Amino acid sequence: MDGDYVIGGVFPIHLYAQTVEHNYTTVPEPLKCTGSINGHGLHFSRAMVFAIEEINNSTKLLPGIRLGYQIYDSCASVPIAVHVAFQLSNGLDPEFYTRDNCSKSGTVMAVVGESDSTPSITISRIIGSFNIPQVSYYATCACLSNKRQYPNFFRTIPSDHFQAAALANLVKHFGWTWIGAVRSDSDYGNNGMASFLEVAHKEGICVEYSESFYRTNPRSRIQRVADVIRRSTAMVVVAFAASGDMRILLEELSREPSPPRQWIGSESWITHPDMLKFTFCDGAIGFGIQKSVIPGLRNFLLDLSPTTVAASPILTEFWESAFNCRLEKSAATDKNVCDGTEDIQKLQSSYTDTSQLRITNMVYKAVYAIAHAIHNAVCQETNSTTQCDRISSIEPKQVLTHLKKVNFSQNGYPVSFDANGDPVATYELVNWQKSESGSIVLVTVGQYDASLPLGQEFHINRNITWVEGRTQVPVSVCTDSCPKGTHKVLQKGKPICCYDCVPCPEGEISNATDSTDCFPCPNEFWPNAEKDTCFPKPVEFLSFSEILGIILATFSVGGACLAIITATIFFQHRTSPIVRANNSELSFLLLFSLTLCFLCSLTFIGAPSEWSCMLRHTAFGITFVLCISCVLGKTMVVLMAFKATLPGSNVMKWFGPTQQRMTVLSFTFIQVLICTVWLIVSPPFPVKNFTIYKERIILECALGSAIGFWAVLGYIGLLAVFCFVLAVLARKLPDNFNEAKFITFSMLIFCAVWITFIPAYVSSPGKFTVAVEIFAILASSFGLILCIFAPKCFIILFKPEKNTKKHLMNKNQS
């Protein structure tokens, strides 16, 4: 249709082009479209005509200006799209010139189209050289947002960049980490899938396979893609494909039963009415352009009179195909003549379907966007009236400039373009659900608005029906989630979503599912059995409440009581010969020191503190030296007593009671001096030992200075050895009750205990180190009291007849 300003339109009214064989000897035949009419393409082209007529009848937009149009069929073919692009750039073909229009250029002001991305790229590269703006209603390839390559390109449908991000967020939202991917082998499919995979990889989603195909591929190629889908382990399949390509693939899948798959579709096919016949895809979800309402469009589409149809070869072909008859002037001979009873009002086809009007509204907005750009270029507002100049001509470049600035609403739908020529991305989340009749219907279940803040773009407002009518979200993972207490270890040669769940090593936990690593508990904590929580480690020390502590404490108190009882017996019989025979004063001092030795072992039981650590070692060292000093004094008394019986010997005057006391005090003072230096320089202190046991804490006393500890023990050992040597020397002295023999046995036991103590002490772990030390104290103390005092008590209590001076001097013959 002619007009003051002409808008071009390119639509795939046919889906296939005739294949031309070039022999390079004759001029090839012109390119022709083949196949039946594409109802959607015809529908879109008629929607453009409707919008232009609506604008021409408007008094607000371009008043007094008449828009014309040139609409071409691209046949969804790139070669034909190239031919169309040159026709749009050059102007009308000669047969379209009229007498009134001879003086005007036939160049279009702008072009609406094409539907596919690849033909749109072709057209944009050609007409862009002439600064002719192009507004696509269906080309979504993100590559077309590149203004350096496509400066003249705009679109009313969102870029696949947003759709790819929305699909990736959808997959992540439902926890699918193991998916399959198929795409059209075209700019739309390849670029869209590349954008999706890029976002999916960032979100941690793995792809088992990624296959491409095209509707013109051999059937073997389509079969191979279908077999990959059937054999795969991924439950979810993301399909970024054009509707024509997807139809071919689904037809191939329908020929042979395959495992159920949850389909995730791009807007090109997920909202296409013709795809709903594939019922095995029920539960499919995807993003589609928002539904819309265009008042008056349905009436316009159905207002096809026989005269109008007969005047248009395209409408004639559509009419004959829809009603399976031929018009009188038609060249078709294989059909009956149409008898006039054909009623387009009752026709159910993609041409007459106005229930959704998703892409149709994109065509409608594209025409209005161009009209607003022309309006802003030729019209001016003066005194509340609009004056438009229809005489002066404008260039497409001016329309291009004004097209970048358009911002309006039509029927409540906003229209504007960003710096890349893209609109604000808004989608509906649609779900294929089975109706009561068993057919598939499209149900809107959510929204996606890229203009909202990050994390708020995605919203689901009703229940989704999944594959096979399930209500539970299907699971599509390579490996089930790793529970708490385990971590993921990647399987060799597999994607990152395929892993083994390995229990955390000793001392480490993971408190979240799908943990990539375990982390150690703090020093004073240890994992529970499930290795998902750190609990405080039990603190272990030799306590009075445990059996071992009770036994040792009982023996300690019992030994002290035994020493007190012995002292009581000795005190009651202090005048008897057997008590007086070996310096009763040293005997009482020895019993007192043994009592302290027994009691000092109690300081080793219980929770170590700063004072108890210092007390236990020093008390043990000093009391044992006091004890050994008394035994040494008694040994020396026995030895010196018999030496004094020799003629002319006055040894005893140098080893009287005063000298004995001084000897004991001197030996004890040296130990006190050693302990004092130890406590001043580096005293023992309580410490938590984390090294012996990983799962519990040993509360113990650190020595502070190992030299001080071994000096205390060494000094005790030195006195014990000295005492043992003297006792051995005096063991055969002529006395019926020779105390030196018993001292020899007691020192033998004492030395044996403390010699075995050293390796046992070093090798015993934790609280058993303390138990070994207590055992050594008690064993040596019991050895002393039993060997030295038990025979005397036995005679005092049970053999009083032997408690005489004569018997002791061995003057009575047995």
Side-chain angles (χ1 to χ4, degrees), residues 34 67 92 106 207 259 385-386 399 446 516 554 638 656 696 769:
T34 60
L67 294 179
L92 290 171
V207 179
T385 60
T386 304
V399 179
T516 57
T554 302
V638 174
R696 58 183 185 268
T769 304

Side-chain angles (χ1 to χ4, degrees), residues 273-339:
D274 293 348
M275 307 300 292
L276 299 178
K277 65 182 180 181
F278 298 103
T279 56
F280 66 89
C281 292
D282 66 313
I285 58 173
F287 291 103
I289 304 303
Q290 289 180 311
K291 291 188 294 185
S292 59
V293 176
I294 303 177
L297 176 62
R298 179 170 178 80
N299 291 334
F300 176 81
L301 294 175
L302 300 181
D303 185 19
L304 292 179
S305 64
T307 305
T308 305
V309 172
S312 169
I314 291 292
L315 291 178
T316 299
E317 184 180 352
F318 163 71
W319 190 276
E320 292 180 345
S321 174
F323 296 107
N324 196 26
C325 64
R326 63 181 176 86
L327 297 176
E328 292 182 0
K329 296 182 180 181
S330 172
T333 58
D334 57 340
K335 298 178 181 178
N336 297 324
V337 177
C338 299
D339 56 9

Side-chain angles (χ1 to χ4, degrees), residues 276 576 772:
L276 299 178
S576 62
V772 167

Side-chain angles (χ1 to χ4, degrees), residues 97-392:
Y97 285 122
T98 63
R99 182 180 304 171
D100 299 331
N101 197 38
C102 288
S103 61
K104 290 190 175 183
S105 170
T107 305
V108 296
M109 292 293 102
V111 175
V112 176
E114 215 262 358
S115 63
D116 290 338
S117 295
T118 302
S120 294
I121 290 172
T122 303
I123 294 171
S124 179
R125 290 192 183 279
I126 295 172
I127 68 175
S129 303
F130 304 100
N131 294 313
I132 300 175
Q134 175 185 1
V135 184
S136 176
Y137 58 92
Y138 212 4
T140 57
C141 178
C143 58
L144 286 164
S145 297
N146 187 339
K147 291 293 104 177
R148 298 178 68 90
Q149 293 194 43
Y150 312 102
N152 66 317
F153 185 83
F154 300 82
R155 52 185 156 197
T156 52
I157 190 169
S159 164
D160 283 338
H161 169 76
F162 300 103
Q163 184 181 192
L167 288 173
N169 289 335
L170 181 70
V171 172
K172 181 187 177 183
H173 177 80
F174 292 111
W176 298 321
T177 57
W178 186 239
I179 64 171
V182 293
R183 67 188 187 276
S184 292
D185 192 7
S186 62
D187 289 294
Y188 168 74
N190 292 328
N191 287 280
M193 184 58 74
S195 298
F196 168 79
L197 294 178
E198 181 181 358
V199 180
H201 179 72
K202 293 178 181 178
E203 298 291 352
I205 300 167
C206 299
V207 179
E208 183 181 8
Y209 59 87
S210 180
E211 297 290 333
S212 65
F213 63 98
Y214 197 67
R215 59 180 176 270
T216 57
N217 289 148
R219 188 187 170 193
S220 59
R221 172 73 177 271
I222 307 298
Q223 283 179 325
R224 188 182 67 80
V225 176
D227 289 339
V228 169
I229 295 173
R230 292 187 183 102
R231 293 194 304 265
S232 68
T233 58
M235 177 68 172
V236 173
V237 183
V238 177
F240 217 111
S243 57
D245 301 333
M246 198 64 192
R247 184 180 67 253
I248 299 297
L249 177 62
L250 294 181
E251 285 175 351
E252 182 60 40
L253 284 170
S254 64
R255 290 189 176 97
E256 182 180 335
S258 62
R261 293 288 181 260
Q262 177 62 53
W263 290 91
I264 311 298
S266 61
E267 46 77 28
S268 178
W269 70 271
I270 199 70
T271 58
H272 200 290
D274 293 348
M275 307 300 292
L276 299 178
K277 65 182 180 181
F278 298 103
T279 56
F280 66 89
C281 292
D282 66 313
I285 58 173
F287 291 103
I289 304 303
Q290 289 180 311
K291 291 188 294 185
S292 59
V293 176
I294 303 177
L297 176 62
R298 179 170 178 80
N299 291 334
F300 176 81
L301 294 175
L302 300 181
D303 185 19
L304 292 179
S305 64
T307 305
T308 305
V309 172
S312 169
I314 291 292
L315 291 178
T316 299
E317 184 180 352
F318 163 71
W319 190 276
E320 292 180 345
S321 174
F323 296 107
N324 196 26
C325 64
R326 63 181 176 86
L327 297 176
E328 292 182 0
K329 296 182 180 181
S330 172
T333 58
D334 57 340
K335 298 178 181 178
N336 297 324
V337 177
C338 299
D339 56 9
T341 60
E342 298 80 20
D343 187 0
I344 196 171
Q345 300 284 345
K346 298 179 180 179
L347 181 65
Q348 298 293 327
S349 72
S350 55
Y351 172 78
T352 60
D353 183 14
T354 57
S355 60
Q356 303 282 335
L357 296 184
R358 299 176 188 272
I359 306 305
T360 306
N361 194 39
M362 300 297 104
V363 178
Y364 187 73
K365 291 198 294 185
V367 175
Y368 265 89
I370 295 170
H372 274 271
I374 296 174
H375 179 95
N376 295 336
V378 302
C379 299
Q380 292 182 346
E381 302 286 339
T382 57
N383 298 326
S384 300
T385 60
T386 304
Q387 298 294 329
C388 297
D389 184 5
R390 59 176 296 181
I391 299 175
S392 62

